Amino acid sequence: MKLRIGTNTKMYMTIAQTCKFIDDLGRLTADIDREEAEIFVIPPYTSLDRASEIAARANIRLGAQNMCWADEGQFTGEISPVMLKEVDVQIAEIGHSERRHVFHETDEMENMKVITALRHGFTPLLCVGETAEQKDRGQAAETIRSQLTLGLKNVSKADAEKLWIAYEPVWAIGVNGTPASPDYAGHIHGIIRSILTELFDKAAADKIPILYGGSVNPENACKLIVQPDVDGLFIGRSAWDAERFNGIIRDVLNVVNNA
Ligand code: PGA
């Protein structure tokens, strides 16, 4: 499967910083065949309009960090899929751990967003992952099973092939996170693939890229990507410098191509 590698810049970077970052990343990765590696950036909403032309030129797919399930309406503070279409966004990130745990989004809300994203032709990037407490209680697999079952409710087999999933254990994310060991990530990715197979079928499940995210860095990226069922990386802090991100992309591609 083609490698998917990208970053969510969270609530960092101004419009000017985002545009420069995407432009630099495009230049640095210009020789990388996008059939081998799909590179994506998911910046704050305010940057999307200005960044979309630059991203298109740079051959970088652009995503939104969140999206309302309704096309329009009385939803103060939300951004609709119609508005995101207008600025040429291709990926809709849904259910990042900060959305779930800081803003209390539920699986039912994530499900409505997944359905809406598919209806509008976005690539839904649904994030799942257990908390430290759930992991310690031995409930990682059951947590992820319920996030996937509820989050992907009413998604057809045909639409399933358009999904991307990110496994982002809550305890691995951010400045206080500890990266998942490659073995553990591989183990959970295998569980995710088998849940997707149960929900759809093997042919559909095998087409869904499962990305790992949570404290990916230049030291662990290659060890993570060689794990079975790890089809890509979803990176925060370590990708926010274009040179550093370019280095990770090239290291990972090298490993994948020589595997
Ligand atoms: P991090 O963020 O790489 O900075 O841990 C990952 C994420 O939140 O997607």
Side-chain angles (χ1 to χ4, degrees):
M1 190 186 298
K2 184 201 309 189
L3 176 76
R4 265 76 176 203
I5 188 158
T7 181
N8 156 24
T9 63
K10 307 195 182 188
M11 201 174 72
Y12 294 100
M13 296 200 200
T14 59
I15 298 172
Q17 287 167 333
T18 302
C19 290
K20 180 173 183 331
F21 172 68
I22 295 177
D23 192 46
D24 287 349
L25 189 62
R27 249 181 312 101
L28 291 166
T29 60
D31 62 313
I32 295 177
D33 181 356
R34 297 311 203 254
E35 287 307 310
E36 272 183 42
E38 201 163 337
I39 302 169
F40 62 96
V41 173
I42 309 189
Y45 283 135
T46 48
S47 301
L48 291 172
D49 190 22
R50 290 260 291 278
S52 67
E53 233 184 88
I54 300 168
R57 231 185 300 125
N59 230 332
I60 288 173
R61 291 187 79 194
L62 196 64
Q65 296 178 8
N66 184 21
M67 185 197 71
C68 189
W69 54 79
D71 289 3
E72 61 178 13
Q74 304 179 90
F75 295 103
T76 302
E78 289 291 301
I79 300 286
S80 101
V82 177
M83 296 163 186
L84 293 176
K85 273 265 114 128
E86 227 181 350
V87 292
D88 269 339
V89 163
Q90 296 109 44
I91 299 168
E93 181 179 359
I94 296 168
H96 184 274
S97 111
E98 288 147 21
R99 298 302 318 165
R100 292 176 186 266
H101 297 285
V102 183
F103 299 101
H104 307 293
E105 291 185 8
T106 63
D107 286 310
E108 289 69 25
M109 290 157 99
E110 315 308 5
N111 180 239
M112 290 195 281
K113 295 179 192 201
V114 168
I115 299 291
T116 299
L118 288 166
R119 181 161 52 81
H120 283 277
F122 295 102
T123 298
L125 171 50
L126 178 67
C127 305
V128 298
E130 81 282 9
T131 63
E133 294 72 32
Q134 288 164 330
K135 178 172 185 272
D136 292 346
R137 281 193 243 117
Q139 294 169 342
E142 97 188 51
T143 301
I144 292 161
R145 170 178 297 276
S146 122
Q147 289 172 335
L148 288 172
T149 308
L150 296 171
L152 300 177
K153 198 171 152 200
N154 295 328
V155 172
S156 69
K157 211 183 292 176
D159 274 347
E161 298 177 3
K162 299 170 191 153
L163 300 167
W164 292 6
I165 303 294
Y167 170 55
E168 299 213 320
V170 181
W171 45 269
I173 295 175
V175 280
N176 298 318
T178 319
S181 71
D183 281 351
Y184 184 79
H187 169 67
I188 299 287
H189 277 237
I191 292 175
I192 293 174
R193 183 85 63 204
S194 63
I195 297 169
L196 294 172
T197 305
E198 283 168 37
L199 290 177
F200 305 108
D201 63 17
K202 184 163 173 1
D206 283 350
K207 289 195 187 129
I208 302 175
I210 308 173
L211 285 63
Y212 170 80
S215 294
V216 174
N217 59 43
E219 286 70 48
N220 64 18
C222 292
K223 296 181 194 125
L224 287 159
I225 201 66
V226 294
Q227 294 300 315
D229 293 308
V230 177
D231 306 311
L233 298 173
F234 193 17
I235 312 174
R237 290 154 296 149
S238 288
W240 298 342
D241 173 273
E243 304 253 0
R244 196 166 191 227
F245 189 21
N246 172 51
I248 297 179
I249 296 170
R250 286 177 192 279
D251 288 350
V252 163
L253 259 179
N254 257 336
V255 172
V256 170
N257 288 339
N258 294 320

